[in-house]
Amino acid sequence: MITVLIETGVNKHKAYKIKGKLHLKGMFMNNYQNHENGRFWIWWNNKKVEVRKISSSMQNIHCGVYDLQSNFLYWLTAIYGLNYLEKKKKLWYELEQIHLSQHGPWFLIGDFNNVLKAMDMSSGNLVQEKEYKDIISMMNRTNLSEMDTGGGGV
């Protein structure tokens, strides 16, 4: 029903050419207005659901998902966390602001590029507390929890 591609790295000028070659049917949104290489592409089958963009930034697109009668189903936020600690702090702040402005089920999908504890490895090295304390604080304030995907990080 909904397909989310993250960290596409495709220049805006090439995106629609590539989109055409993928032959995906339905509606399409991106975040080229926030990043020249469009970190997110979201497709959905508009015969099954309606997806409405609420906000976007360099690190996320936040949407509402509705049935065809415009009844709210859930919130969907596609995430791609940048690799720099200060940029990640901006993402945590953005997620807290989204949390404050919504009610109902919230589904976050993507790559936070972060770990949650020192035991998690980053390139074979133990991570420092400063690398995960802010995401833990954000998750506590927003009541988010990690789903085990077998991948090792958030």
Side-chain angles (χ1 to χ4, degrees):
M1 228 176 348
I2 299 174
T3 301
V4 178
L5 301 176
I6 60 170
E7 197 182 13
T8 61
V10 176
N11 182 287
K12 182 178 183 177
H13 303 292
K14 294 181 182 178
Y16 291 95
K17 184 177 181 179
I18 292 170
K19 179 184 167 226
K21 290 182 178 183
L22 292 174
H23 303 291
L24 291 172
K25 307 257 189 256
M27 303 299 290
F28 171 78
M29 78 171 64
N30 59 56
N31 75 323
Y32 284 107
Q33 72 276 15
N34 304 105
H35 193 278
E36 66 186 25
N37 287 334
R39 295 188 171 278
F40 306 99
W41 292 359
I42 300 177
W43 268 284
W44 66 96
N45 181 338
N46 58 327
K47 294 180 181 174
K48 303 274 185 181
V49 294
E50 180 182 349
V51 178
R52 301 177 195 163
K53 185 189 299 186
I54 307 299
S55 63
S56 65
S57 75
M58 186 182 297
Q59 298 184 83
N60 77 76
I61 293 182
H62 179 61
C63 308
V65 179
Y66 300 81
D67 67 18
L68 295 180
Q69 290 74 43
S70 291
N71 296 308
F72 173 77
L73 298 173
Y74 57 90
W75 301 108
L76 170 67
T77 306
I79 305 287
Y80 181 73
L82 296 172
N83 290 315
Y84 304 101
L85 191 56
E86 289 307 311
K87 301 272 187 188
K88 287 180 189 180
K89 288 181 181 185
K90 183 171 170 92
L91 174 59
W92 309 151
Y93 175 79
E94 290 170 356
L95 294 176
E96 287 183 36
Q97 295 308 299
I98 290 170
H99 171 73
L100 292 173
S101 67
Q102 69 183 22
H103 299 286
W106 186 19
F107 182 65
L108 289 87
I109 186 170
D111 187 350
F112 286 74
N113 273 321
N114 219 109
V115 295
L116 292 175
K117 55 191 174 295
M119 301 295 279
D120 292 334
M121 298 285 215
S122 177
S123 301
N125 301 315
L126 289 176
V127 295
Q128 304 296 315
E129 181 182 8
K130 68 180 180 180
E131 297 178 70
Y132 60 84
K133 70 178 185 173
D134 294 320
I135 190 174
I136 296 292
S137 295
M138 178 274 296
M139 290 175 70
N140 288 334
R141 287 191 290 274
T142 58
N143 295 315
L144 291 173
S145 59
E146 177 182 23
M147 290 185 65
D148 185 13
T149 61
V154 176

